[in-house]
Amino acid sequence: MNILSIQSHVSYGHVGNSAAVFPLQRLGHEVWPVHTVNFSNHTGYGEWRGQVIPASEVAAIITGLEERGALARVDAVLSGYQGGADIADVVLDAVARVKALNPAATYTCDPVMGNAKSGCFVDPAIPPILRERVVPAADLITPNQFELGFLTEREASTIESTLEAVDAARALGPRAVLVTSVERPDREPDTIEMLAADDEGAWIVRTPHLPLKANGSGDVTAALFTAHYRTTGSAAEALAATTSSVFDLLQATLDSGARELQLVEAQQAYAAPRLQFEVRRLR
């Protein structure tokens, strides 16, 4: 499978394309990364060097790929954090061009806006653009629970309200939704869940909640779920494999004591997921 990944890039650490590309390659997929920023490290450090790449230059890279005949061979487009409002136009144009050349191609949008602890941390112009223009063009979206509520402008806390928000998100256009960081009030202590839904139903999986902040783990999750969902056509199977791989990546990172994801060290977890967690059907 050929994947066009339009995301940020950092030299040190693993977020954006620096998190998504290697796990996808380890699964055997070809990845063509297009960077929207080129930073020394992720912004969680408070200081970084580098630059945001102008939207015109991002578009030029995509045009160059088209001139090589690559866009016609793209099976999936993946986008993540959008640093500026003008990047949305570039992403949507790329998706339209890919789908015109290959109608079977799909688009995954990871609608990065914030989280339950930090709130919304992107430019205020971004959420309306995601809600009104980008999400409707997507086949699959991968918000966390907070972002799902923000996108659909409704509460997403209990399983019931989260499923209702998923339905509202799917009504915007995407046929499949993966919800990460699901933390319902009645969950077992020290656990966290992920939920996936499409036309075939909805499923949930529970894992221990590991005590670490892992920048880039959402980028890995979106990438792996995209690949598994496209390969198997099953949201339940994709959820099981993705959960297994990401948990083992996070466990390896926690065990190492490092701040950055141990992306390379955990590579066997992507290539051969242990499938150690039960996926339960909700409907």
Side-chain angles (χ1 to χ4, degrees), residues 3-9 17-18 21 25 30-35 61 65:
I3 300 171
L4 175 64
S5 183
I6 308 171
Q7 301 195 57
S8 59
H9 168 78
N17 274 332
S18 304
V21 172
Q25 291 173 328
E30 186 69 63
V31 187
W32 298 322
V34 175
H35 304 324
I61 295 297
L65 291 173

Side-chain angles (χ1 to χ4, degrees), residues 65-151:
L65 291 173
E66 185 175 32
E67 291 169 346
R68 304 285 77 75
L71 292 193
R73 293 155 47 208
V74 170
D75 299 296
V77 180
L78 171 65
S79 72
Y81 172 72
Q82 300 190 22
D86 53 356
I87 290 296
D89 290 330
V90 177
V91 171
L92 290 171
D93 179 66
V95 170
R97 289 155 75 179
V98 165
K99 289 194 170 189
L101 294 164
N102 177 16
T106 60
Y107 169 42
T108 298
C109 170
D110 184 8
V112 179
M113 291 181 286
N115 56 58
K117 292 182 179 178
S118 303
C120 190
F121 52 63
V122 298
D123 183 323
I126 298 294
I129 291 172
L130 287 171
R131 181 186 303 118
E132 297 165 14
R133 299 183 57 216
V134 182
V135 167
D139 300 283
L140 165 65
I141 61 171
T142 61
N144 61 38
Q145 190 177 30
F146 169 83
E147 291 162 342
L148 175 67
F150 212 85
L151 272 178

Side-chain angles (χ1 to χ4, degrees), residues 178 194 220-221 224-225 228 237-247:
L178 171 71
M194 281 205 294
V220 176
T221 301
L224 290 176
F225 189 86
H228 289 304
E237 290 183 35
L239 182 61
T242 300
T243 301
S244 174
S245 298
V246 173
F247 180 84

Side-chain angles (χ1 to χ4, degrees), residues 140-171:
L140 165 65
I141 61 171
T142 61
N144 61 38
Q145 190 177 30
F146 169 83
E147 291 162 342
L148 175 67
F150 212 85
L151 272 178
T152 58
E153 299 180 287
R154 61 177 65 209
E155 179 189 6
S157 56
T158 65
I159 289 297
E160 292 74 18
S161 63
T162 300
L163 284 172
E164 290 173 359
V166 165
D167 290 340
R170 294 184 66 226

